[in-house]
Structures are given as C-alpha cells and as structure tokens.
Amino acid sequence: DLNATSVSISGVLIATTGTFGGDGSDGAFTVSAGTTTYNAASGNTFTKNYSSISITGTADIALSSPATKGTALILKSQGAVTITSTTSPAIDLSSDGATGGSTNGQAGTKSYGTIIIPTGGSGGNTTDDDNTTAQTGGTGNTDVDSTIALTSRVIPIFTGAGGGAGAKGVSDATQADNGAGGRAGGAIYIECAGALNKTSSLSVAGGAGTNAGTNGTGTWAGSGGGGGGGGGCIVVLYDTLTASSGTNTISGGAGGDG
C-alpha cells in the first residue's frame, strides 16, 4: 500500500490530497476591472487558494511566463466563485500551453498533464512536384472541456500539445522558410466549495501556426506551414450551482499556409 499526499511519475503529477476548495491562504479575491496577470515563472502549475473568488464588471485574468510544456492555472475557493465579467474571455490561457516546433519539420512540444499527455502535432509537408504550392500545416488537436460536480477521485488536467513546424522544401537552390508551429492552449482548473455562478467565457485555445516564406527558388523550393497548437482543457468543480453559462473555447489553432 502507498500512503502519500501526492504522487508523480516521471515528473507528471498523478494525484493529490487535501481539502476541497483549498485552504484559503490567499484570502478573498475580488476584481471588477482591469487585467490580473499571474506570473507562472515557467512552472507547470500555478495555484491560488482563495476564501472566495469574484471576477465581475470588465475584469479578466491572464497568465505570463508559462512553462515550455504549458501551465495549468489552478484556482481554489473555500466559498463562492462568481465569474460574470463581460470581458471575453474572462479567464484567458490561450497559447499558454506547450510550445510549437520552429526548425525544419520539428515536432511540437508534448504537453503537461496529470494523466493524459497529448503528443505534439506535426507541421505541413513540402511541396508537390509542381514546384508551386506547399501543403498547409495541420490544425491543432482539441482536448476535453468539462464543467462537472466532483464525482471521482482522479481528475485529468492537461495543457495542449504544441503544433509541429512545417518541413522545408527540397531544393537545389534557395529554400523558402518553413512555418513555425503554434503554441498550444493552457489548462484552467477551478475548485469551488461554495456556490458557482459563471456566466463569462473562458479560453484555452491553441495558437495558429505561421505561414511558410515565399522566397524559395529552384526545384521543390516551397516549404510547409506550421501546424496549429492543440487546445487545452477546462475543468470546473463545484458544490452547488447558481449558473453555468458562457462559451468555453478549447479549439486548436489553424495551420499556417505553405
């Protein structure tokens, strides 16, 4: 038997124990205007333990300095969680997931997750032999979005995987620059031990891949566009529900043009 407060395998957090809604050590969080930006400091998770959460008016939440594999924003509240801001999205972790590939055909970075770890996407291929048009990079994968009451002991949380870079053209002269893969979406996890009132939108969308350059010359000089970054995940757990509406965006980014 294993008795532990947390378990990780190969650096991936598998499970934690503790009080639902956190310990409230960060006090009450109340904002009605402006952007509150949390500095993740390259950490895979960024956690705040609030006694209550109120994001109203035109306020919004953002993240800076996410980890290479992406960052999961974990917000815990001992009491009510109110997210009714008219700013869209009210909590934005778009492009805060795993980084995309940059060099010739480089795969996107794998994501960070508690259980599920999506693999980085592939970028676009080189041109067909008509010497004119490179293939477009692939669209990022979309992961799971859920707003649920707590019914199990293991909740998967994971960031999106980065889009792959496009492949450079095969040329006997000058190759066009390949497109870079898009950065994936991060993850949002909200734990509410009181009443949840959510009418705002949230986003963990993946970023678009960039287009390939157009400066190639010679045979098969065209290069592929970068693949879009994968969408992340949104998990909201609550004790009682007042309202749960608003758009949750978890889409992957579009691929770049070749």
Side-chain angles (χ1 to χ4, degrees):
D1 293 340
L2 173 65
N3 294 310
T5 57
S6 65
V7 178
S8 62
I9 298 176
S10 299
V12 176
L13 182 65
I14 302 301
T16 60
T17 63
T19 303
F20 182 75
D23 59 19
S25 57
D26 292 307
F29 179 68
T30 302
V31 287
S32 60
T35 301
T36 299
T37 302
Y38 296 121
N39 184 352
S42 300
N44 288 124
T45 60
F46 183 88
T47 303
K48 300 295 284 186
N49 285 277
Y50 293 120
S51 57
S52 63
I53 296 173
S54 177
I55 305 170
T56 61
T58 58
D60 64 296
I61 305 297
L63 192 74
S64 66
S65 303
T68 300
K69 290 186 175 183
T71 297
L73 174 62
I74 300 173
L75 301 177
K76 297 185 177 184
S77 173
Q78 292 181 321
V81 172
T82 301
I83 308 174
T84 58
S85 171
T86 58
T87 298
S88 181
I91 303 179
D92 189 4
L93 264 72
S94 303
S95 297
D96 284 323
T99 57
S102 58
T103 58
N104 178 20
Q106 182 182 27
T109 304
K110 291 183 178 180
S111 71
Y112 169 83
T114 57
I115 294 178
I116 302 170
I117 307 178
T119 300
S122 299
N125 296 321
T126 57
T127 67
D128 296 324
D129 56 9
D130 60 5
N131 303 343
T132 57
T133 306
Q135 296 185 20
T136 300
T139 299
N141 291 326
T142 298
D143 292 322
V144 177
D145 164 41
S146 60
T147 302
I148 57 176
L150 182 61
T151 57
S152 65
R153 303 182 73 175
V154 178
I155 305 296
I157 307 171
F158 45 90
T159 63
K168 281 207 168 190
V170 180
S171 175
D172 54 7
T174 302
Q175 300 168 324
D177 293 330
N178 63 281
R183 183 157 197 162
I188 298 172
Y189 174 86
I190 300 173
E191 199 173 274
C192 171
L196 173 69
N197 180 14
K198 174 195 168 296
T199 60
S200 304
S201 62
L202 312 177
S203 179
V204 290
T210 63
N211 297 337
T214 58
N215 59 337
T217 61
T219 305
W220 299 340
S223 297
C233 79
I234 300 171
V235 175
V236 181
L237 309 177
Y238 55 85
D239 182 25
T240 62
L241 181 64
T242 301
S244 179
S245 61
T247 301
N248 294 331
T249 303
I250 58 169
S251 55
D257 293 332

